[in-house]
Amino acid sequence: MILKVYTSLLLLFLVNSVWTRTVRQVYDDLDPGHWSHYTSECPQECFCPPSFPNALYCDNKGLKEIPPIPARIWYLYLQNNQIETISEKPFANATHLRWINLNKNKITNSGIENGVLSKLKRLLYLFLEDNELEEVPAPLPVGLEQLRLARNKISKIPEGVFSHLENLTMLDLHQNSLLDSALQSDTFHGLNNLMQLNIAKNSLKKMPLSIPANTLQLFLDNNSIEVIPENYFSAIPKVTFLRLNYNKLSDDGIPPNGFNVSSILDLQLSHNQLTKIPPINAHLEHLHLDHNKIKSVNGTQMCPVSIALEEDYGYYGNIPRLRYLRLDGNEIQPPIPLDIMICFRLLQAVVI
């Protein structure tokens, strides 16, 4: 027992010694003239770490407005404050900004000065989650790569707001107040490189129109979607991760081969109203069907290829790739049917 205590103390001493030397080295290596310059430039309310001179930390300071941003800053942290407005003045010298985090403030659309965001020409990441926005702010920087607007009050997407954002790869609009009418056929026009679109926790009753063709991840959980249109996914041939949990999908609302799509590897249909398993593709790897109304499972019917044909080709053929199957919360009684195991030879986990 005593040996363990001594060992722990020695380890703690060594860790503290290394940390102390590291911190001292940072300060020792820093040119005193540069340190004085950084200190004089740093807004009084914020913290400018000498080891990270391109970052400005103004988070959790109770700020009501944005302080003047030094010209050297690339990364700006303003989250968890009481900021209501975004005006041009604080950014007059901040021409190199790449990243702005304004999450958890009190910003409204009327509080954003017209054109202030689009003038940040080098901005790549803009975080405005947990504010009081009622529509997507516009205009936006043309080089933007990520736009996070979750947990606002957004019910409107201005026409053409995304039309010049060709570099945007991630758009997060989850937990807002979007209706079907807010998503027109040209709403996402211009998002040619979008990879992830999150519209979960809104008030949609239909699948959104004209999803960008390069989308890989589409999140639509917690809406009221009832129908998947015929051939819907042919327009987004690269979609890999599809989440439709907590909707109102029934058997009648899914076309015969609605989810038989070779690009989809992860399909989540939990907490819907399905009574049977929809046809799936042999490439599918993860299938979530928990908390539906499914009463039985027939492996022969569920299998995306003929079991007899699969046995002929063995592991060298196009055997189904399903590795994870979740069926709990239905009316299915164990054990797992043998034909499920015969079909899906790569299964690693089944929850029933």
Side-chain angles (χ1 to χ4, degrees), residues 153-170:
K153 303 174 182 177
I154 296 173
S155 61
K156 181 181 178 182
I157 301 178
E159 184 177 355
V161 67
F162 301 128
S163 60
H164 301 294
L165 303 186
E166 292 187 1
N167 294 329
L168 199 71
T169 60
M170 191 267 213

Side-chain angles (χ1 to χ4, degrees), residues 2 38 58 121 124 126 131 134 148 184 190 225 284 306:
I2 295 174
Y38 293 151
C58 308
K121 302 295 186 182
L124 302 178
L126 178 57
N131 278 279
E134 295 184 349
R148 299 175 183 252
Q184 300 298 315
I225 296 171
L284 188 67
S306 168

Side-chain angles (χ1 to χ4, degrees), residues 101-329:
N101 189 333
L102 275 159
N103 292 345
K104 295 186 178 180
N105 279 283
K106 296 184 177 181
I107 298 167
T108 61
N109 287 95
S110 60
I112 301 176
E113 187 174 334
N114 187 37
V116 62
L117 296 175
S118 62
K119 291 179 181 178
L120 302 173
K121 302 295 186 182
R122 301 188 182 184
L123 195 66
L124 302 178
Y125 301 87
L126 178 57
F127 299 171
L128 281 164
E129 298 179 344
D130 295 284
N131 278 279
E132 298 179 11
L133 299 173
E134 295 184 349
E135 61 183 69
V136 175
L140 292 163
V142 295
L144 211 58
E145 294 182 4
Q146 286 194 19
L147 178 59
R148 299 175 183 252
L149 299 169
R151 294 178 299 278
N152 276 275
K153 303 174 182 177
I154 296 173
S155 61
K156 181 181 178 182
I157 301 178
E159 184 177 355
V161 67
F162 301 128
S163 60
H164 301 294
L165 303 186
E166 292 187 1
N167 294 329
L168 199 71
T169 60
M170 191 267 213
L171 175 59
D172 191 345
L173 287 162
H174 90 268
Q175 200 166 332
N176 277 284
S177 303
L178 292 170
L179 300 171
D180 295 319
S181 57
L183 304 180
Q184 300 298 315
S185 59
D186 60 350
T187 295
F188 301 113
H189 178 73
L191 298 180
N192 299 327
N193 290 297
L194 194 71
M195 298 175 67
Q196 184 186 112
L197 178 59
N198 192 341
I199 326 178
K201 293 189 177 182
N202 278 279
S203 300
L204 304 180
K205 293 183 178 180
K206 300 178 181 179
M207 296 291 285
L209 301 171
S210 300
I211 300 296
N214 285 320
T215 302
L216 297 177
Q217 301 177 338
L218 179 58
F219 304 147
L220 292 163
D221 314 77
N222 292 89
N223 280 285
S224 298
I225 296 171
E226 298 179 353
V227 176
I228 306 294
E230 190 83 35
N231 299 319
Y232 181 84
F233 299 105
S234 62
I236 41 176
K238 297 182 181 180
V239 63
T240 304
F241 299 91
L242 178 61
R243 291 195 338 215
L244 279 158
N245 303 320
Y246 291 95
N247 276 282
K248 296 182 179 180
L249 289 171
S250 63
D251 302 328
D252 294 336
I254 300 176
N257 284 295
F259 295 120
N260 188 0
V261 180
S262 61
S263 65
I264 299 178
L265 303 182
D266 190 305
L267 176 59
Q268 299 189 20
L269 297 168
S270 305
H271 294 271
N272 277 279
Q273 300 172 10
L274 302 175
T275 64
K276 58 184 179 181
I277 297 175
I280 59 174
N281 192 271
H283 290 88
L284 188 67
E285 296 183 3
H286 295 83
L287 178 59
H288 297 247
L289 286 166
D290 55 286
H291 298 90
N292 276 275
K293 299 179 180 179
I294 301 170
K295 295 183 178 180
S296 63
V297 181
N298 186 315
T300 303
Q301 293 178 357
M302 179 183 174
C303 194
V305 299
S306 168
I307 291 180
L309 185 63
E310 181 184 348
E311 289 177 344
D312 289 340
Y313 284 100
Y315 282 96
Y316 300 100
N318 187 29
I319 66 170
R321 300 178 187 176
L322 195 67
R323 288 171 166 80
Y324 180 89
L325 175 60
R326 185 170 177 183
L327 292 165
D328 57 304

Side-chain angles (χ1 to χ4, degrees), residues 45-46 57-63 77-83 101 103-105:
E45 312 93 325
C46 306
Y57 291 86
C58 308
D59 51 308
N60 297 286
K61 302 294 184 181
L63 300 180
Y77 299 88
L78 288 161
Q79 66 269 27
N80 293 301
N81 281 295
Q82 304 293 318
I83 297 170
N101 189 333
N103 292 345
K104 295 186 178 180
N105 279 283

